[in-house]
Amino acid sequence: MAKVVVVTSGKGGVGKTTSTASLGAALAQAGKKVAVIDFDVGLRNLDLVLGAERRVVFDLINVTQGVAKLSQALIRDKRVDTLFLLPASQTRDKDALTEEGVANVIAELREKFDYVICDSPAGIERGAQLAMRFADEAVIVTNPEVSSVRDADRIIGLLDSRTLRAERGESVNKYILVTRYDAARAARGEMLTIDDVLDILSTPLLGIIPESEGVLRSSNVGSPVTLNEPNNAAARAYFEAARRLQGEDVPMVLPVDRRGLFDRLFGRRAA
Amino acid sequence: MTSAATIQKKSIRFRARSFVAFALAPEAPLGEWLRGLDRWTENSPGFFAGRPVVLDLNILKPNPREVAGLVAELAARGIRIYAIEANAIDALGPELPPLLRGAKTAIIDEAQAPSSQTAKAAAPAKLEEPPESSALIIESPIRSGQSVFHPHGDVIVLGSVGSGSEIVAGGSVHVYGTLRGRAFAGATGNGKARIFCQKNEAELLAVDGWYRTADDMEPSSRGRPIQAFLDNGVIWVAALD
């Protein structure tokens, strides 16, 4: 039985899709069978980030409406053969999703995979609520910045009230993933520190992804950073986050610690 | 058992419920009162949304023809009036909210027959404290966008209260984490209620309708344990350390 994980944030542009792709790929690279689902109906992106946009035939809406079988819509990644994508429809909108349809798709995926990762659309409306509805675990993506942290707080409230688990009196395991973290700027007080973020959200930390040019570079060539540049600092952080998601105890290292002498000599002047 | 038999067995059940409504009592001159209301809603947009609001006309004493205009003015501000309290008015048109008599009616025993209940509900009862004045204890953090409404006593939060959330208590508000949202103590008319928090990052502190926004607070009171209380129509924020 798969674990269903929703990657969500409330705010747009904080890195949900990038994180879904990178975590999904990292788990698949570790040998897990992973399905990533794009819930952003009408504004689909996950296919691009995974480099599968030319291979989309059927999508999530087709499957929920019974037009296509799940096996016809799932796209197997060309680089990691345990990674599958269920793309969103670009021509429909979020009203085309029904709770019953999503429930059936998730139930079917649960049988066949180790991890089902749902890439939530931004916002707190129908699309986002359906993406989190059947989740066992939630990765809440936030930047070290006040508005995304407040939106993350709002989403945590919804995870505690609107998910199937919450309605059954159980709880969704929640983790914070801080992305685009720049240790030098946090030290100068231009960003919230990790402590600030965790203090506000009082939720355990899954990982800290440093700001990195490699992430954007990888997205643009249609490859998660964990596949394209596996030695990049952001990729290493995603690998560690994926291990923590599997229950491994990996010590949390602030990205600043890796910069060492170079940072001490040039870090401050360069800014 | 057929479904018809099931229906026959069931009798209609009337249940008496008590709700706490916010009473708005306009005062003359009306224009000035409405401007004051606008200033308040500007600071607390959405405060009245979804909350039962009763229009108390016993101070303004308008003639029945003016009532419709006043209700429309409030509707234009997004405030929907559930009922009107006015001792001097006997009847209002069907397009207006119903007249409410005898606020704070007696608690009706559910076991009684419905016919006698209606008569009893209409009779004014003596003012008495709500029977339950128990505290509401919340062990989890209050998240942004959540609203806690507890009109019959204190609210005690063991976690933090997020930015963009609110607590409305009939009694005092106690927060054993950081208060980043809004807190309304004594919301049902208790000027003696207070707000306590371990760390004050509040957006707004209010007691019995009087309020102070973050902008109006002494910078020295931020980030510290504080209490807020009402004295002569002024909210005082005092450090506790």
Side-chain angles (χ1 to χ4, degrees):
Chain A
M1 277 294 270
K3 246 185 207 170
V4 178
V5 182
V6 61
V7 178
T8 184
S9 70
K11 193 169 168 61
V14 294
K16 282 181 297 298
T17 301
T18 307
S19 296
T20 303
S22 304
L23 283 174
L27 286 166
Q29 283 166 280
K32 300 288 176 194
K33 207 173 172 203
V34 181
V36 291
I37 313 179
D38 193 346
F39 271 86
D40 207 345
V41 180
L43 288 170
R44 75 169 188 221
N45 286 155
L46 192 55
D47 55 328
L48 287 170
V49 176
L50 284 171
E53 74 277 10
R54 293 156 173 271
R55 299 163 62 205
V56 175
V57 182
F58 296 109
D59 56 46
L60 174 62
I61 300 291
N62 295 145
V63 179
T64 59
Q65 294 180 340
V67 176
K69 285 200 209 100
L70 188 56
S71 55
Q72 292 175 297
L74 281 170
I75 303 169
R76 185 193 285 259
D77 191 89
K78 283 185 171 169
R79 297 148 298 204
V80 195
D81 62 5
T82 54
L83 179 62
F84 290 80
L85 165 70
L86 181 55
S89 168
Q90 181 71 353
T91 50
R92 307 292 294 273
D93 61 36
K94 285 160 187 85
D95 296 333
L97 280 176
T98 59
E99 181 172 336
E100 196 192 354
V102 174
N104 292 338
V105 170
I106 300 261
E108 202 176 336
L109 289 169
R110 265 185 205 273
E111 300 291 319
K112 296 175 181 156
F113 288 88
D114 298 319
Y115 283 91
V116 176
I117 306 183
C118 306
D119 181 21
S120 171
I124 53 173
E125 285 78 35
R126 186 180 171 78
Q129 293 199 9
L130 276 174
M132 70 169 69
R133 182 79 188 146
F134 302 97
D136 305 311
E137 303 197 337
V139 174
I140 299 124
V141 182
T142 184
N143 295 157
E145 164 272 334
V146 285
S147 58
S148 70
V149 171
R150 176 154 80 178
D151 291 358
D153 197 42
R154 179 85 165 97
I155 278 290
I156 295 171
L158 293 179
L159 285 163
D160 287 337
S161 58
R162 300 284 171 83
T163 52
L164 200 61
R165 277 197 164 220
E167 285 175 11
R168 285 199 204 123
E170 303 161 358
S171 68
V172 175
N173 293 327
K174 300 172 289 287
Y175 308 99
I176 302 295
L177 185 68
V178 179
T179 57
R180 307 198 64 173
Y181 183 76
D182 185 331
R185 296 189 67 188
R188 286 199 301 270
E190 296 172 17
M191 278 185 170
L192 294 180
T193 65
I194 298 296
D195 285 345
D196 291 337
V197 174
L198 296 183
D199 180 48
I200 294 172
L201 298 177
S202 45
T203 301
L205 184 64
L206 184 71
I208 305 160
I209 313 298
E211 174 79 74
S212 162
E213 292 172 1
V215 174
L216 185 64
R217 203 159 48 223
S218 300
S219 289
N220 281 333
V221 298
S223 173
V225 71
T226 51
L227 281 170
N228 197 43
E229 302 181 26
N231 291 318
N232 175 295
R236 289 202 308 265
Y238 275 120
F239 282 123
E240 288 180 3
R243 283 165 62 197
R244 289 188 197 103
L245 201 58
Q246 294 172 77
E248 234 180 283
D249 191 10
V250 185
M252 193 76 64
V253 186
L254 270 180
V256 68
D257 293 340
R258 294 217 180 86
R259 300 174 99 188
L261 187 65
F262 180 83
D263 182 54
R264 255 172 269 154
L265 286 176
F266 304 106
R268 279 170 203 280
R269 229 173 294 160
Chain B
M1 186 162 47
T2 64
S3 60
T6 326
I7 290 166
Q8 274 181 352
K9 268 191 159 179
K10 267 192 183 167
S11 60
I12 299 169
R13 249 178 114 183
F14 289 89
R15 282 186 177 172
R17 289 199 182 173
S18 68
F19 292 91
V20 172
F22 286 82
L24 273 181
E27 292 168 25
L30 196 58
E32 200 169 293
W33 183 84
L34 284 170
R35 275 192 295 280
L37 182 68
D38 287 339
R39 278 195 298 278
W40 158 259
T41 46
E42 204 175 292
N43 281 315
S44 309
F47 181 79
F48 293 105
R51 296 211 166 116
V53 177
V54 169
L55 190 58
D56 179 354
L57 298 178
N58 289 326
I59 298 172
L60 187 66
K61 295 193 172 56
N63 67 49
R65 272 164 295 142
E66 293 164 348
V67 176
L70 182 55
V71 170
E73 283 276 5
L74 292 169
R77 288 165 173 78
I79 302 171
R80 200 173 147 202
I81 302 298
Y82 281 62
I84 293 175
E85 254 193 298
N87 294 338
I89 299 174
D90 290 328
L92 288 169
E95 71 284 358
L96 284 169
L99 275 172
L100 187 75
R101 300 255 183 246
K104 291 213 175 182
T105 49
I107 306 303
I108 298 154
D109 189 359
E110 245 184 68
Q112 286 182 322
S115 56
S116 66
Q117 280 178 15
T118 41
K120 199 174 173 185
K126 58 180 181 293
L127 296 175
E128 55 185 353
E129 281 292 295
E132 296 168 71
S133 54
S134 58
L136 174 68
I137 300 179
I138 300 167
E139 300 197 31
S140 54
I142 311 283
R143 302 292 181 178
S144 181
Q146 292 178 336
S147 178
V148 175
F149 184 68
H150 183 64
H152 297 314
D154 291 6
V155 173
I156 299 166
V157 184
L158 299 182
S160 294
V161 177
S163 154
S165 65
E166 63 180 16
I167 296 177
V168 183
S172 297
V173 176
H174 312 255
V175 180
Y176 289 93
T178 308
L179 172 57
R180 297 188 179 88
R182 307 142 151 268
F184 300 81
T188 45
N190 177 4
K192 291 206 171 80
R194 294 188 180 203
I195 299 165
F196 304 89
C197 67
Q198 200 76 271
K199 190 174 174 195
N200 171 36
E201 300 287 348
E203 291 164 351
L204 183 144
L205 299 171
V207 178
D208 188 16
W210 301 87
Y211 67 95
R212 193 176 274 255
T213 59
D215 249 16
D216 303 330
M217 283 177 218
E218 291 290 323
S220 62
S221 72
R222 310 291 291 173
R224 300 170 68 181
I226 57 110
Q227 63 159 326
F229 55 94
L230 185 63
D231 185 32
N232 272 332
V234 176
I235 299 282
W236 294 88
V237 181
L240 285 174
D241 58 349

